[in-house]
Amino acid sequence: MDTDPGNAVDVESALISAVRAGDTDSVRILLHEDSDPGLRDAAFCLAVRMHAGHIAQLLLQYGADSARSRQEDLIPLSEAVDWGSPALFDALLDHGIRGRYPESELLEARDLARRWHETGVEAELRRRTGSRDAVVRTQVQDDEYCSVDEFTLGGMTVRDGHGAILTYVEELLGIRTSFEELTDRASAHADQENHTTWSSATILLAGRRDQATWTAAAALRTSPDPSRRLFGAEVLRLTHLFDDSDEDTFAGPALDVFTDWSAEETDPTVLTEVLVALGEHSDRRAEAALLPYAGHSEARVRRAVAHGLTGGSSSPPAFSNDARAALLRLMADPDALVRKTACCTVAEGREHDPDLADAMAAVLDDPDRLVRLAAVYGLALHDDERCVEAARSLGPPQRGSLEEESYLEAAWRYEWRRDRR
């Protein structure tokens, strides 16, 4: 594939071909390498017609102008609801074209989404197709962060993001859906990590930032159902995380509730969320609550500890002796993601401890490439010469990987600083 920006025809045809193939990675790479603005607009319309919501959103992020699309170049709002992809529905309601849809059409979209959600995708598919065959169900990525399930029956394929679409359109219409209804809506997908219906509910509730929502979420801490405890914990965590006011009203209550919660939670998934929340506080109480779980049997719990020892601050405090000992242990953890996370935490710490640097150097021959990259990154930020040869041995970053580029760039910047000195 010729992606030379100087060759407009080849770049344009490559981008359209990538959209037509549903190749999100190639679309991202081609957009990162730049392309003609008019081409992005055409690619956006194509992505919408192909029901490729994730790609349509990506094109909007890179400058596609939805306002330049004609109504006939897109699809009806009802078709987007039927398809069941919140990413596609959101792209169709981009700010540039949202005004095209009158309230009556939004109300119809709400009613249609509610029917799909309450009936259930499989039941509605059987009603529409009349098929008695087995339903094929697969989990797919719907946007950059969230997933949905995709159902195929009788030649018809739809996704099960109708709950998220319902939540979104209710917000557009100014309807304040109750905490209880949003909890029930999300709980229908509690068995699937990062389902967009769950995420849309927690984000909406957290954005309210009012005492009634906080109290309702905190009350779920005592629920016998782990999925409801998880929902409550996530709403509380995001409420504090999204509070950008100078008062930071929810910081104290969040630290109090999560410190107590961490000592009694037994479910690993809920505990992970609680520890992630604690890691967003730069406070010794949060660190003290995190440290007992550095040797937990679940890797995701240990990773939350490794990440949380940053203190959730762009200027993290110096590591305590206990935190330093935990990080040394976590950089040698059996799980690669835990090792990588611990290296990144050490990298971004403000102190240049020789024992921590040696521990990062010890994983420069790790079997996992990302662990080696994180160690290079950490050593570079610690002005440690050992990053140079390790970076060279890793070779260039994988094409399109911003994470690899950022890690290796730290080593290049270290060389530049060293040579200037």
Side-chain angles (χ1 to χ4, degrees):
M1 182 183 296
D2 183 354
T3 57
D4 178 2
N7 189 332
V9 175
D10 287 343
V11 173
E12 291 179 11
S13 63
L15 181 60
I16 293 296
S17 296
V19 172
R20 202 178 302 281
D23 188 343
T24 306
D25 290 338
S26 291
V27 170
R28 182 181 289 106
I29 290 169
L30 289 164
L31 289 171
H32 186 61
E33 294 174 353
D34 205 13
S35 62
D36 179 77
L39 172 64
R40 296 192 199 112
D41 298 342
F44 168 75
C45 294
L46 175 61
V48 168
R49 292 196 303 274
M50 292 183 58
H51 295 177
H54 187 183
I55 293 177
Q57 289 189 341
L58 188 62
L59 286 156
L60 289 171
Q61 291 169 19
Y62 276 85
D65 186 352
S66 60
R68 286 200 287 261
S69 64
R70 299 172 301 175
Q71 194 72 36
E72 58 269 27
D73 291 332
L74 304 174
I75 61 173
L77 208 54
S78 59
E79 185 177 329
V81 177
D82 278 338
W83 172 236
S85 164
L88 179 63
F89 188 79
D90 182 62
L92 267 179
L93 286 167
D94 179 61
H95 64 87
I97 52 177
R98 189 175 300 169
R100 294 180 184 178
Y101 302 102
E103 183 177 345
S104 59
E105 192 168 352
L106 291 175
L107 288 167
E108 290 173 3
R110 178 202 60 179
D111 294 342
L112 181 57
R114 183 180 292 279
R115 181 161 65 249
W116 274 101
H117 177 68
E118 293 181 349
T119 303
V121 171
E122 183 172 342
E124 183 65 13
L125 267 177
R126 291 198 182 283
R127 187 189 72 80
R128 292 192 178 205
T129 65
S131 175
R132 296 178 178 271
D133 295 340
V135 174
V136 177
R137 179 177 179 175
T138 55
Q139 185 174 327
V140 296
Q141 199 72 16
D142 192 60
D143 62 20
E144 187 174 1
Y145 302 105
C146 297
S147 61
V148 292
D149 279 349
E150 193 170 272
F151 295 72
T152 299
L153 177 70
M156 185 175 180
T157 298
V158 297
R159 296 183 170 186
D160 71 345
H162 303 96
I165 293 173
L166 176 58
T167 299
Y168 181 43
V169 76
E170 284 170 343
E171 185 180 15
L172 283 178
L173 289 165
I175 298 170
R176 185 180 172 92
T177 311
S178 71
F179 183 94
E180 293 73 19
E181 183 172 349
L182 287 169
T183 303
D184 290 341
R185 199 175 289 174
S187 295
H189 301 280
D191 59 340
Q192 183 175 324
E193 187 176 2
N194 296 325
H195 194 284
T196 187
T197 296
W198 176 287
S199 298
S200 64
T202 57
I203 290 171
L204 174 62
L205 287 169
R208 290 178 178 175
R209 292 203 292 274
D210 58 46
Q211 192 58 49
T213 303
W214 180 271
T215 301
L220 292 177
R221 173 181 163 187
T222 59
S223 171
D225 183 351
S227 69
R228 290 189 173 253
R229 297 201 302 276
L230 178 63
F231 186 81
E234 190 168 327
V235 171
L236 294 176
R237 180 179 73 82
L238 294 177
T239 299
H240 168 242
L241 187 65
F242 294 164
D243 186 1
D244 55 0
S245 65
D246 293 336
E247 297 81 11
D248 201 4
T249 309
F250 297 99
L255 180 58
D256 290 341
V257 72
F258 286 122
T259 299
D260 293 341
W261 196 335
S262 67
E264 62 190 34
E265 183 55 60
T266 56
D267 182 86
T269 303
V270 183
L271 177 61
T272 299
E273 183 69 18
V274 169
L275 296 181
V276 169
L278 282 168
E280 292 164 354
H281 293 265
S282 182
D283 189 284
R284 289 303 185 193
R285 281 194 297 157
E287 179 188 289
L290 285 165
L291 287 172
Y293 297 100
H296 195 275
S297 60
E298 293 265 355
R300 55 187 161 165
V301 174
R302 301 195 303 275
R303 185 190 177 212
V305 174
H307 181 71
L309 290 174
T310 59
S313 170
S314 57
S315 301
F319 298 123
S320 68
N321 288 336
D322 289 339
R324 189 180 295 107
L327 287 166
L328 287 169
R329 176 180 180 179
L330 291 164
M331 282 190 284
D333 194 89
D335 183 83
L337 195 51
V338 174
R339 296 195 300 276
K340 170 186 175 273
T341 304
C343 284
C344 289
T345 295
V346 171
E348 292 159 11
R350 76 182 190 193
E351 57 184 307
H352 293 185
D353 182 285
D355 290 339
L356 293 174
D358 287 346
M360 286 189 289
V363 296
L364 288 174
D365 59 354
D366 195 277
D368 188 281
R369 177 176 170 85
L370 280 177
V371 175
R372 298 198 302 275
L373 283 160
V376 164
Y377 172 66
L379 290 169
L381 294 186
H382 284 233
D383 286 334
D384 191 305
E385 178 69 22
R386 287 173 289 187
C387 72
V388 176
E389 187 56 39
R392 289 173 183 162
S393 69
L394 282 162
Q398 292 184 2
R399 187 166 177 252
S401 173
L402 299 180
E403 183 179 27
E404 291 206 5
E405 286 181 15
S406 67
Y407 290 158
L408 290 170
E409 186 180 350
W412 302 331
R413 287 199 305 268
Y414 162 74
E415 284 193 83
W416 180 81
R417 292 194 306 270
R418 179 201 63 189
D419 294 344
R420 286 199 68 183
R421 289 195 296 265

